[in-house]
Amino acid sequence: MLGPANGWEDVADDLAETPEEARRVYRERFLPLVAVCSASSFVPMLYGVHFLDALSRGLVMFVSLFLSFYIASWVMATYMPRLTDDETTDNGSSRYQLMVMYTLAIIAIIGLIANIVKVRIAILNFLPLYTVFVLWKGCRFAGVSARKEGLFMLLSTGCILGSYYGLSFIFNSLI
C-alpha cells in the first residue's frame, strides 16, 4: 500500500476502517522496503565497489531511514496538533506516522534506484523534491487548515527530510 491509487483519500479510508493501519503498514510494508533498499547497496559491487563500501552505504541507509521514522513521527505528533483542525485529530498520531512512512518510502525508492543504476543520473538528485509535493497533497489528510499550510510544509519537510539527510550526513561522516 505504499502507492495508493487515489492518494491520501485511500489512506484516510483505510485508517478509518482499521485504526491499527499505521502499525500494519510499518511491519508489512515499510520495514521490508527499507531492508530491500538497504540491501540494494550491494548491487554496485557488480560495478567494482568494494564490499565494505557497499556494507557501510547499506547500513547508513537502513539506520537513517529507521531512525528518521521515529524522529519525524515524534516531531510531527508533538507539534502538528497545533496546526490541525479539532475534528481531524482523532487518529493524529497514526496519520502522522503514515505521512512519515510514505514520504520516507519515496526517499528509500530513490536510494534503491540510485544503487541499481550504474551511472549517476542528475535527475536522481532532484527526485527528493517530489516528497515536498506529496506532503503538500497530504495537508487535508493531516487536517491542516488552508491558512496554516505553509507552516505545515516547513515543519513536515524539515522534520522528515531534515532528519533523514541529517542522520545520513552524520553517519557518513563517522564512517
Side-chain angles (χ1 to χ4, degrees), residues 3 6 17 24 32 38 51 63-66 89 98 106-107 111 114 120 125-126 136 139:
N6 294 324
E17 291 174 12
R24 187 188 68 77
S38 298
F51 173 75
V63 173
S64 296
L65 287 167
F66 184 77
T89 58
L98 287 168
I106 295 169
I107 299 296
R120 292 314 279 154
N125 295 330
F126 294 103
W136 176 64
C139 285

Side-chain angles (χ1 to χ4, degrees), residues 76 80 99 135 151-162:
M76 288 184 74
M80 288 300 172
M99 289 188 81
L135 286 171
L151 187 57
F152 169 79
M153 291 302 300
L154 287 173
L155 185 61
S156 62
T157 303
C159 75
I160 296 172
L161 294 181

